Amino acid sequence: MRLKTIFYILPILLTLIIVSAWCRKPVTQLILQDVHYGSDSLQTMDIYLTENRTVETPLVVLVHGGGWMAGDKKDAGFMKDACFANGINVVNINYRLGTPGIPGIHYKEMMADIDSAMSYVLDHAGEWNIRKSKYIFWGGSAGAHLSLLYAYNYDTRDIISLVITLGAPTRFDAESMKGAKPGDIQELLPLITGKPWNNDPELLDEAYKDASPYFGKNLKPSFLIHGEKDDIVPKQQSIMMSELLKQKNIVDTLVILPNGGHGGENTPQEVSERLNLAMYQWIIRYSR
């Protein structure tokens, strides 16, 4: 009797399996460019989703540099190409750029833009068949600063598991910025806060501390990369950040690129290859 029951059930099960297989559509590659996550012309992003992706597929968010006043998501194209070619989903964002004076666009507005972009991605995660957590942020220069600041202070949903940076400014005060070009300090740093710069720490507006990832409230695992000969953002900025992360028992790694400039230029090829492999391994590890 039991055997007869099994014979009756088996065809039904097989039918359900076959129907289920027919209903499952293959996941195709999806590329969406200049997707608006806000009404401003700069509030756009590009989406690159791999073929046959699942909710386990790693996702990297790219934040371009440009001194908080310039730049475009296409500037992070080399990272997009490298990640996408290795089966990693990519979100490459633009954000409103800094403007002088008050009111204007400063770090809080840039944080709001990144948050809005992440809200848009999360809202479409089911439709796109992508993960909703353990995002990896990557940023270079000003984008590195914004990535760290967002991850440490503004990621209220705790969706970021790792930040990878290149040439990151991490602490804004005269002592910490030693080695930077005076003109850059005077012209660029006020764009971050909308407040005048002052070499005297007692006269420097508190907003510079609030905009410094070094004083972040929720430090996260970080992979810090800095050129040995960076003459725009002193390498000490990443060294200080790495030392603090270690003191706080937050997992980090610090890579100083021998002979490397601000964007990593002039780094020996073999060092770059080892670095790329290490970054890939960290992305996979912190996507689990």
Side-chain angles (χ1 to χ4, degrees):
M1 187 67 179
R2 290 179 182 175
L3 188 60
K4 185 182 293 186
T5 302
I6 292 173
F7 282 140
Y8 280 128
I9 293 174
L10 188 58
I12 297 173
L13 291 175
L14 289 174
T15 301
L16 290 173
I17 292 170
I18 293 169
V19 170
S20 175
W22 284 345
C23 291
R24 280 200 304 267
K25 296 180 180 179
V27 180
T28 58
Q29 183 183 100
L30 179 64
I31 297 177
L32 303 171
Q33 295 185 314
D34 292 323
V35 175
H36 279 269
Y37 61 84
S39 59
D40 191 275
S41 62
L42 288 174
Q43 292 173 319
T44 63
M45 58 185 170
D46 297 337
I47 312 292
Y48 300 89
L49 306 180
T50 64
E51 186 178 13
N52 296 324
R53 63 191 173 277
T54 72
V55 292
E56 301 298 324
T57 304
L59 187 147
V60 173
V61 178
L62 305 180
V63 186
H64 72 80
W68 303 277
M69 61 177 290
D72 184 86
K73 49 187 165 58
K74 66 183 179 184
D75 300 334
F78 68 99
M79 276 301 295
K80 180 268 292 181
D81 292 342
C83 290
F84 198 49
N86 283 284
I88 297 170
N89 293 326
V90 177
V91 175
N92 191 7
I93 70 171
N94 270 348
Y95 50 89
R96 287 173 292 171
L97 300 173
T99 56
I102 304 174
I105 303 300
H106 307 297
Y107 79 92
K108 290 184 178 179
E109 287 73 28
M110 297 175 196
M111 292 293 99
D113 282 359
I114 295 174
D115 198 58
S116 293
M118 292 303 95
S119 292
Y120 189 99
V121 171
L122 290 171
D123 287 346
H124 290 79
E127 173 190 344
W128 294 342
N129 196 40
I130 61 173
R131 61 173 55 230
K132 292 185 177 182
S133 64
K134 295 188 178 179
Y135 290 179
I136 313 298
F137 263 55
W138 178 94
S141 192
H145 160 256
L146 296 175
S147 295
L148 288 172
L149 187 63
Y150 183 79
Y152 293 173
N153 276 356
Y154 291 87
D155 179 22
T156 57
R157 290 165 294 222
D158 197 28
I159 59 172
I160 301 172
S161 59
L162 172 67
V163 187
I164 303 176
T165 65
L166 173 61
T170 63
R171 180 170 173 172
F172 300 119
D173 57 65
E175 181 65 25
S176 302
M177 293 300 295
K178 277 185 177 178
K181 298 174 182 177
D184 287 347
I185 293 176
Q186 295 290 341
E187 295 174 16
L188 293 180
L189 297 193
L191 289 174
I192 302 172
T193 64
K195 307 294 183 180
W197 174 260
N198 200 303
N199 287 321
D200 186 338
E202 295 185 1
L203 298 178
L204 187 63
D205 194 283
E206 189 74 9
Y208 283 95
K209 181 178 180 180
D210 295 340
S212 297
Y214 186 87
F215 298 106
K217 300 180 181 71
N218 185 25
L219 304 177
K220 296 191 176 186
S222 304
F223 190 115
L224 310 170
I225 309 163
H226 220 109
E228 178 187 27
K229 296 185 177 179
D230 190 337
D231 62 351
I232 296 176
V233 178
K235 65 182 179 183
Q236 187 62 23
Q237 290 279 307
S238 286
I239 293 172
M240 286 189 303
M241 192 73 248
S242 176
E243 291 173 348
L244 178 67
L245 289 165
K246 287 180 172 61
Q247 291 171 16
K248 301 292 186 179
N249 294 316
I250 306 296
V251 177
D252 89 293
T253 195
L254 172 65
V255 178
I256 301 296
L257 302 174
N259 204 48
H262 181 57
E265 64 276 12
N266 301 321
T267 300
Q269 180 65 29
E270 62 272 17
V271 174
S272 295
E273 291 174 357
R274 289 200 302 270
L275 173 63
N276 291 338
L277 177 59
M279 282 195 294
Y280 179 76
Q281 291 172 338
W282 274 59
I283 289 171
I284 298 303
R285 183 189 312 167
Y286 282 92
S287 296
R288 293 184 182 129

